[in-house]
Amino acid sequence: MARTQDHPGEQAASDPIRLLAIRESELSVDEVFRAVGDDAAGGIALFVGTVRNHDGGQDVGALGYSCHPSAEDELRRVAEKVVADFPVRGLAAVHRVGELDVGDLAVVVAVACPHRAEAFAACRKLIDDLKHEVPIWKHQRFSDGTEEWVGAC
């Protein structure tokens, strides 16, 4: 069966941005997944970023995230760009700040679109632009006592 753009389900939803937040509390994959649910979505792409135990050949002992007061506004701007470029039915993005442990969820994003290829592409753009444009910084402290700040933008 050929795809047709005539059906309303093939178009972006009128208000597809369902959840955007920067939080100090633990993140939930289930919350983000539920936020993007839409009967017209044939594909939901989800990305979960976790704290790993190493970076640049060094063991990470501790890690913290902090952000600029404009971070949520910038997150909305990034989300709006994704919505403008893809037929998004639902979009959610949540990033954690504060002290995190290895294995903790640092960021969870999801995008629902009519088809899987669109969902994958939109989700990739969302996480890539979030990491490059939203002012969130990572402070890594290594097991050898050294530390570094890593800027997301």
Side-chain angles (χ1 to χ4, degrees):
M1 176 178 266
R3 291 185 195 175
T4 175
Q5 298 298 318
D6 295 337
H7 191 279
E10 294 290 324
Q11 309 301 318
S14 61
D15 189 17
I17 299 174
R18 311 272 177 77
L19 172 64
L20 297 176
I22 296 175
R23 298 182 177 155
E24 291 185 25
S25 57
E26 290 185 17
L27 305 183
S28 166
V29 172
D30 290 338
E31 176 192 25
V32 172
F33 181 75
R34 282 191 308 270
V36 300
D38 188 286
D39 289 345
I44 296 175
L46 180 88
F47 173 81
V48 179
T50 59
V51 176
R52 64 182 175 269
N53 67 359
H54 68 281
D55 190 36
Q58 294 182 284
D59 291 332
V60 172
L63 182 143
Y65 284 97
S66 60
C67 67
H68 189 272
S70 69
E72 282 196 6
D73 291 337
E74 291 302 309
L75 180 56
R76 176 159 296 280
R77 187 183 60 73
V78 164
E80 288 171 349
K81 284 191 333 186
V82 172
V83 167
D85 292 345
F86 297 92
V88 175
R89 302 297 306 176
L91 179 148
V94 184
H95 202 296
R96 189 162 171 202
V97 293
E99 295 301 310
L100 284 75
D101 293 322
V102 170
D104 282 349
L105 306 184
V107 61
V108 182
V109 302
V111 179
C113 290
H115 304 280
R116 73 175 173 273
E118 299 156 341
F120 279 127
C123 189
R124 179 166 194 131
K125 180 169 180 53
L126 177 60
I127 189 59
D128 286 350
D129 289 357
L130 184 160
K131 297 304 282 181
H132 289 107
E133 298 179 26
V134 178
I136 298 172
W137 305 282
K138 178 170 52 174
H139 185 209
Q140 297 186 120
R141 293 173 298 284
F142 300 106
S143 58
D144 67 1
T146 62
E147 59 185 51
E148 75 175 346
W149 282 93
V150 181
C153 56

